[in-house]
Amino acid sequence: MIRLLTLLSLLCLGANTAIAADSSAKPDGARLYAQRCSACHGTDGSGGVGVPLALPAFLSGVDDAYLRNTVRLGRPGRVMPAFTKLSDAEVDAIVTHIRSWPGQNRPETLSQERIAGNVARGKTLYKDHCASCHGANGEGGHGTGVTLSRPRNAPILAPALNNPGFLAAASDALIKTTLMQGREGTPMLSFLKQGLKERDINDIVAYVRAFEQLPSPPSARVLESESPVMVRESPYTIERTVEKVRAAVGAANMRLIRVQTLDQGFVEESKENHQQIIVYSCDFNFLNEALKVDPRVGLFLPCRITVVQQAGKVLVMSINPKRLSRIFNNAELNEMCEQMHQVYLNILEEVVL
Amino acid sequence: MSGIRLLALLFLLGLNHVAASEELLMSRIARPFPEAMSNLQDIIRAKGYVVSRVQRVDVGLTASGFKTAEYRIVFFGKPSEIHDLSVAHPELIPYIPLTIVVFAEGDDTLILTTDPLKLGEFFNKPDLLKRFDVWERDVRAIFDEVTHTP
């Protein structure tokens, strides 16, 4: 037994050594960017689902620490995921690739020191100068940038300043620099040019930093739920249960798309298993609204209720949208996930009533 | 700690690098939607999977009066796996077959799916974890190939 475990351990150590040796090779930043970032931020950083990174004013205003921390920590509830599995070398390689884009004046490393300011005065100034774009409580602009159903009408969404990911990534000096210089090519203007003094800007920075002392905002919330599947046992035959699902879907104002076996398309029609039935449906109004918020929601389309007969039981099942909320990391979908959870729940209850 | 326990721990530590999972896999294809869609299905089939259906979400939306870019969902799987897994683990049925969402963004096409390893957090059973691991490797290979096809 000991010999066997020794052998297995040596094999694992060998595998890990090979992995370590492989990871010691310099990571390819361009390839990593293409794999992890370009889907949202565009091949050339021009943006898409995610914000445009290639704005010279943006890249000239943030230091490498901000970029690294943003990759590492993401923005909870604001789509940008935390890339916790990338090595430090891989994160550095992505940052180096972003730094290779033209037009930027790479800033010096910014101080990590806190900037002293009057929070109460900063609150008033924030309300007058920042809240219209960044939200009354720093919750940022709505949506995920580009959507399917409307054209891009703004180069960038106002960041959520109260987001724990932003506050951890951005130093006071970075926030101050942004306020003083603005961001050319975005609606963010230089506050100095608007007549504010450096003292005013310090007070706003202090107020934004004070968001850290508050509980995590709703815009950074991820829904918690226990089970990925909602299941009810039906007292009816499978045929009767499917009929009741069809009726319940209609009662929920959803359009019936189709009723099929699970293995339809995988086996010949005569060999399909009619003990596993899926009822597909859709509320196109709801879908259109959801796609506006986040074009990725199609992952769980169309809406489906599964009816299965097994071991003498008829089960009615659906996914649990609340459990899936965290996959999208988009707090603006939370309400919709809760709505869909309730719709599915109502259908299941109606069917087994 | 006994020698056996220490070695067992080393063994487990050696394996844990395969346990972590990402939430979504997403890629950008630098070619228009029709070409990307066709190429994606060819690659899925070349990996030994059957494309059972393509859901035309954009058609449904347009028919309902909404404006949208091309938006489709590709359902795929292996017949034997669909059969065996659905019998052994009926609770998994709401999550199969596998799907890839495909939608147009300007001249590019975006594809995305849930990382199959994520299912391991939902259904943590040894035989399923092995299957999810295989799916994850296959899906990553599909994404890599369709993204880099010249």
Side-chain angles (χ1 to χ4, degrees), chain A residues 213-224:
Chain A
Q213 309 304 319
L214 301 175
S216 189
S219 58
R221 191 168 67 99
V222 175
L223 295 181
E224 296 294 338

Side-chain angles (χ1 to χ4, degrees), chain B residues 8-9 13-14 29 35 43 49 68 74 83 100 124 134 136 147:
Chain B
L9 182 60
L13 286 172
I29 304 170
E35 282 178 45
I43 291 169
Y49 289 88
T68 177
V74 179
H83 175 267
I100 293 177
N124 191 1
V134 172
E136 191 258 356
T147 306

Side-chain angles (χ1 to χ4, degrees), chain A residues 145-295:
Chain A
V146 175
T147 70
L148 292 168
S149 305
R150 56 187 158 88
R152 190 187 311 190
N153 56 9
I156 196 168
L157 281 172
L161 303 178
N162 66 359
N163 189 276
F166 171 79
L167 290 167
S171 62
D172 284 7
L174 186 147
I175 299 170
K176 181 175 178 176
T177 302
T178 306
L179 291 168
M180 292 178 76
Q181 298 177 353
R183 289 266 166 81
E184 193 177 341
T186 79
M188 180 71 201
L189 304 173
S190 161
F191 279 21
L192 288 180
K193 290 180 182 173
Q194 291 185 71
L196 272 68
K197 307 295 182 196
E198 185 169 355
R199 179 194 161 205
D200 302 327
I201 290 173
N202 286 346
D203 291 344
I204 295 174
V205 171
Y207 175 65
V208 169
R209 183 57 62 194
F211 286 142
E212 279 183 337
Q213 309 304 319
L214 301 175
S216 189
S219 58
R221 191 168 67 99
V222 175
L223 295 181
E224 296 294 338
S225 181
E226 292 171 1
S227 171
V229 181
M230 298 194 288
V231 186
R232 295 290 183 277
E233 186 175 344
S234 170
Y236 307 104
T237 64
I238 187 168
E239 293 82 6
R240 177 72 181 132
T241 303
V242 170
E243 273 180 35
K244 288 180 71 75
V245 171
R246 295 173 73 126
V249 161
N253 289 323
M254 301 174 84
R255 190 186 303 173
L256 187 69
I257 303 291
R258 64 179 180 276
V259 179
Q260 66 164 82
T261 61
L262 171 66
D263 53 9
Q264 187 182 89
F266 290 107
V267 298
E268 293 173 27
E269 195 175 339
S270 61
K271 293 181 180 174
E272 288 177 18
N273 181 357
H274 291 273
Q275 308 296 302
Q276 300 170 333
I277 302 293
I278 303 172
V279 179
Y280 284 107
S281 61
C282 186
D283 177 342
F284 284 101
N285 287 312
F286 187 87
L287 170 60
N288 188 56
E289 291 306 310
L291 286 173
K292 281 182 187 174
V293 174
D294 194 327

Side-chain angles (χ1 to χ4, degrees), chain A residues 9 36 38-39 43 85 148 228 255 258 264 266 276 284-285 288 295 298-299 304 306 310 317 323 327, chain B residues 7 21-24 28 53 55 60 64 66 71 73 77 86-87 90-91 93 95-96 101 110 113 122 144:
Chain A
S9 296
R36 309 294 179 118
S38 72
T43 306
K85 287 194 286 183
L148 292 168
R255 190 186 303 173
R258 64 179 180 276
Q264 187 182 89
F266 290 107
Q276 300 170 333
F284 284 101
N285 287 312
N288 188 56
L299 267 179
R304 62 186 272 183
T306 303
Q310 193 163 353
M317 299 185 283
R323 185 69 171 81
I327 288 177
Chain B
L7 289 169
S21 68
E22 287 180 4
E23 304 284 324
L24 286 177
R28 177 178 294 271
R53 175 176 287 277
Q55 185 72 42
S64 299
F66 299 109
Y71 197 114
I73 303 165
S86 64
V87 170
E91 73 279 9
I93 294 178
Y95 288 90
I96 55 175
V101 172
L110 296 183
T113 190
F122 297 168
D144 200 45

